[in-house]
Amino acid sequence: MKSHHSHSDEDLHKDLPLMKDKVSEMSYKYTRTVRKALTGTGTTLLAGSPSRFSAGGSGSDSTMTVTAVQAEDAGISYCQSDQALSLWITFGGGTEVIVSSGVSVKPTLSLLPPSSEELSKGSATLSCLLSSYSPKGALVTWQKDGREVTAGVLTGQEVWSSTGYSRSSILTLSKASWDEGDLYTCLVAHDGRRQSTELRRTQCSG
């Protein structure tokens, strides 16, 4: 089970039910991608957990709720059960929590050229890095001399940190294809705006 929650400032003081998963009346714990594991049995969370986190449920149903959501609570939470001998089994794809301040911050872009060592081996990888933006939802496309390129493109997942979201995208070409072009552009569409960063092969060393 996976659901998405987007919160404005007005929503930060409302209870947010994160998940409800079957755990067959076993002990359970919740882990996050951006904070330490929260472990509990029954309705008790690990000592030291923030007071806004609470666990509940009965029988084979369990829930975790965050009251007065904060920016640091953004991330993905998972439900796990303790089968035996400290063997933890994860249920589902997790529940993602997106916390939005309502302020749009455009990505900071960096475009890195292929290295001389890579070029000497017959390939070329360009890396486009997006950082410190909000809200989530930046889309990346590539152009070679003004024409869109889709082959050899690999774009990673968006990752949340205390400074905002980040994302990376790479364009991998053969050395021959790299030499055929000159102007390489990484284009980003985010929150209704478009921006780009570019480099010229003829201005790159190697």
Side-chain angles (χ1 to χ4, degrees), residues 6 18 63 78-79 91 94 127 146 176:
S6 181
L18 290 183
T63 62
Y78 298 89
C79 181
F91 290 81
S127 301

Side-chain angles (χ1 to χ4, degrees), residues 35-159:
R35 60 185 304 113
K36 66 181 182 180
L38 301 174
T39 307
T41 301
T43 58
T44 303
L45 291 175
L46 180 68
S49 300
S51 59
R52 62 183 182 279
F53 285 80
S54 62
S58 61
S60 61
D61 293 331
S62 63
T63 62
M64 185 174 76
T65 300
V66 180
T67 304
V69 177
Q70 298 182 14
E72 66 186 63
D73 298 327
I76 301 177
S77 296
Y78 298 89
C79 181
Q80 296 182 317
S81 67
D82 186 3
Q83 298 282 347
L85 301 176
S86 298
L87 176 63
W88 293 97
I89 304 299
T90 301
F91 290 81
T95 296
E96 182 173 20
V97 178
I98 300 173
V99 182
S100 175
S101 66
V103 177
S104 180
V105 180
K106 68 180 183 180
T108 297
L109 305 183
S110 301
L111 181 53
L112 307 180
S115 67
S116 299
E117 179 181 1
E118 183 185 21
L119 291 172
S120 69
K121 295 179 180 178
S123 62
T125 300
L126 294 85
S127 301
C128 186
L129 309 179
L130 293 64
S131 61
S132 305
Y133 65 90
S134 181
K136 185 179 182 180
L139 302 177
V140 182
T141 56
W142 288 87
Q143 288 184 354
K144 174 184 174 181
D145 290 334
R147 294 186 178 183
E148 185 175 358
V149 179
T150 55
V153 173
L154 180 62
T155 301
Q157 298 292 319
E158 292 176 295
V159 178

